[in-house]
Amino acid sequence: MPIYMRYRVLMIGFALSTTLASGSARAQAPRIPSNEDESKAGDYALPDPLVLQNGSKVNDAETWIRKRRPEIVRLFETNMHGRSPGRPEGESFDVFDTDAHALGGTAIRKQITIRFDDRKESPKIDVLMYLPEKAEKPVPLVLVLSFLGNEKLAPDPAIRLSTVWDRKTMTKRRADESSRAKKNAYELDQVLARGYGIATLCYTDIEPDFPGGTAYGVRPLFFKPGQTAPAADEWGAIAAWGWGLSRVMDYLETDQDVDAKRVAIVGYSRLGKTVLWAGARDTRFAMVIAGGSGEGGAALSRRNYGETLKHIKANFPYWFCANYQQFADRPADLPVDSHMLISLIAPRPLYLATAEDDRWADPRGEFLAAVAAEPVYRLLGARGLETTDMPPLNRPILHTIGFHYRPGKHAVTTYEWDRYLDFIDMHFSKRSAREN
Ligand code: GCU
């Protein structure tokens, strides 16, 4: 039995949190102690995102874009997420369902299957999309990478039932009529009400989330003859999930009803880690919204607080490339840290959501990473958090980088969605687009 399955699995699921993006259970690692005392988080020096590997300083946007940014992308590829392939030649989109009067006539529904080759047994992604019927097209879109099957978004009998890989039993589970949502998810109603489209896909369509899951996902489609596992600097599971988001973007660029230049990607927890890397790599995403992303996401790895690289190596090594594992006991030697991941998203808007009781994800470590990425945002003419003091609870900061720290646990609540939408309004609404 894989190690992570032996650990206590903690379901976080009070009513508000059972939204589409939060259907995850958290595996914790009680055997490796974790620190939750701020005074023991340790001293560390962060690599300067604005100094090239040859030691010279980056003083202008051009040098950042031409030299430093690609350098940092390569460092993440080599040491953390691994290299991912580009768009597959055999990619195809099948819009198998369109309804111009869905959800009681308020929305347009589309369902699309994205295929990567023409073999029947290959993985494929099913995307479900609702666009506000009345809104002027093309509309900005919120693209949610979900733990759950598409039928959990709305009790709409036309939604294709999913087949989702269960990460605990490591088996495929086919949804049936009883799996359908009993009511619209909060985010569906709110996103449409504010005039945006929403699209969702389940991450296990791309690759299941357990050790050995590689065999059932997209990565083998790119193996060289005789290759049976990714090389030490080739993509891990998170990079594969992020690659899947880029394939959805390939489709969105072909859809006349969607403004592909205003697409926000949203993910929570491990899927928060995923949207950060997806947005870092693929600059077609205009906005990244990552909640509770923690270690391997927005939290600084050099801080000894909550989950650390050691825990990741013990519990979820397959999320990252093999080269990453060597840093488990020496995070200070990692040539990158999360502030550099954030800087790759600059100058595009990035929102980080954290919660007081989610110490495992190190909320302060996420805040400090955003602070350390600010010089890059500023260099590119955008606004960082503009403070070095962690904001109090329930006092979100909404600049080009947005951040909130709310009371409560690791979960997606209505508080998250309301703030996300305020942030989206700020950057995507017609008025703000004109002002920018
Ligand atoms: C575990 C893991 C975290 C991850 C979380 C989740 O708690 O340790 O790194 O973010 O699961 O995805 O639910």
Side-chain angles (χ1 to χ4, degrees):
M1 183 193 280
I3 300 168
Y4 87 96
M5 286 180 59
R6 290 203 293 265
Y7 294 135
R8 187 163 56 98
V9 171
L10 199 68
M11 282 306 294
I12 298 132
F14 56 96
L16 282 180
S17 74
T18 48
T19 56
L20 195 70
S22 70
S24 85
R26 303 192 96 197
Q28 301 229 352
R31 289 179 198 181
I32 302 176
S34 78
N35 172 49
E36 291 187 355
D37 176 348
E38 186 55 39
S39 70
K40 297 192 180 126
D43 294 328
Y44 52 86
L46 296 177
D48 189 336
L50 291 179
V51 174
L52 283 156
Q53 277 179 298
N54 69 12
S56 51
K57 184 96 185 98
V58 178
N59 292 315
D60 54 85
E62 164 112 12
T63 311
W64 167 261
I65 293 163
R66 289 260 180 91
K67 295 200 176 141
R68 183 57 173 156
R69 191 181 187 286
E71 213 173 69
I72 296 179
V73 170
R74 266 197 308 280
L75 289 172
F76 274 101
E77 287 179 340
T78 308
N79 298 290
M80 187 169 174
H81 283 296
R83 285 178 288 113
S84 306
R87 177 181 179 150
E89 263 172 42
E91 183 171 54
S92 67
F93 314 121
D94 174 17
V95 185
F96 65 87
D97 167 58
T98 310
D99 181 351
H101 303 288
L103 303 179
T106 59
I108 299 168
R109 185 191 61 243
K110 297 188 194 186
Q111 298 186 77
I112 307 101
T113 298
I114 302 178
R115 291 196 177 78
F116 312 113
D117 60 20
D118 48 19
R119 278 179 300 170
K120 210 173 159 289
E121 64 282 7
S122 293
K124 56 185 170 40
I125 300 176
D126 277 345
V127 180
L128 167 67
M129 176 155 78
Y130 288 104
L131 308 175
E133 197 188 14
K134 290 215 181 73
E136 199 185 309
K137 310 290 180 306
V139 280
L141 188 94
V142 180
L143 173 57
V144 184
L145 183 60
S146 176
F147 288 102
L148 306 177
N150 291 344
E151 69 281 347
K152 295 294 187 200
L153 189 62
D156 178 345
I159 299 175
R160 176 182 279 179
L161 292 170
S162 65
T163 300
V164 168
W165 280 94
D166 183 290
R167 68 186 179 85
K168 278 172 260 153
T169 58
M170 302 197 286
T171 53
K172 267 187 183 174
R173 212 181 39 216
R174 173 128 190 86
D176 58 25
E177 289 302 322
S178 70
S179 325
R180 293 190 185 280
K182 303 287 176 277
K183 58 182 175 62
N184 287 355
Y186 180 78
E187 58 270 32
L188 169 60
D189 288 336
Q190 296 308 312
V191 170
L192 292 176
R194 298 223 200 174
Y196 307 114
I198 181 166
T200 188
L201 66 149
C202 177
Y203 79 133
T204 72
D205 276 11
I206 307 160
E207 175 167 325
D209 183 5
F210 48 76
T214 322
Y216 309 102
V218 293
R219 289 190 273 166
L221 301 180
F222 298 87
F223 283 169
K224 297 186 198 80
Q227 188 177 2
T228 52
D233 68 343
E234 284 180 335
W235 47 345
I238 289 179
W241 298 327
W243 177 91
L245 284 172
S246 291
R247 305 295 60 90
V248 178
M249 178 52 106
D250 297 342
Y251 164 74
L252 294 173
E253 288 185 320
T254 70
D255 190 321
Q256 307 290 316
D257 293 333
V258 173
D259 183 352
K261 299 227 156 15
R262 286 184 294 166
V263 173
I265 40 176
V266 183
Y268 201 80
S269 229
R270 66 200 65 189
L271 302 184
K273 307 183 207 303
T274 303
V275 293
L276 285 165
W277 178 235
R281 273 193 84 233
D282 190 338
T283 54
R284 291 176 299 171
F285 295 116
M287 182 187 295
V288 176
I289 299 177
S293 63
E295 186 65 45
L300 290 172
S301 296
R302 281 166 172 73
R303 270 169 60 84
N304 175 26
Y305 192 98
E307 187 174 31
T308 62
L309 291 185
K310 225 189 267 208
H311 300 99
I312 292 275
K313 183 182 179 186
N315 301 336
F316 303 104
Y318 61 95
W319 283 354
F320 299 93
C321 75
N323 278 346
Y324 195 47
Q325 318 305 332
Q326 61 186 296
F327 299 103
D329 295 310
R330 43 186 189 95
D333 292 342
L334 192 61
V336 292
D337 212 321
S338 57
H339 64 308
M340 292 158 83
L341 184 60
I342 293 174
S343 74
L344 293 178
I345 296 165
R348 292 166 291 154
L350 163 71
Y351 194 87
L352 301 175
T354 70
E356 188 179 20
D357 299 338
D358 193 10
R359 291 180 292 279
W360 183 243
D362 188 11
R364 182 178 291 275
E366 294 201 23
F367 170 76
L368 293 172
V371 170
E374 185 158 341
V376 179
Y377 271 79
R378 268 209 311 270
L379 180 76
L380 302 176
R383 292 180 72 190
L385 295 177
E386 297 175 354
T387 176
T388 51
D389 296 328
M390 175 97 169
L393 292 168
N394 291 340
R395 291 267 199 83
I397 301 176
L398 275 75
H399 298 156
T400 316
I401 303 181
F403 179 89
H404 79 231
Y405 181 49
R406 63 147 170 82
K409 297 185 192 168
H410 181 81
V412 181
T413 71
T414 56
Y415 185 88
E416 267 67 48
W417 274 106
D418 291 342
R419 298 296 79 68
Y420 294 174
L421 285 162
D422 289 348
F423 191 66
I424 293 171
D425 280 350
M426 190 178 149
H427 295 287
F428 278 2
S429 76
K430 280 264 158 64
R431 223 190 56 211
S432 64
R434 270 201 302 273
E435 280 164 4
N436 286 338

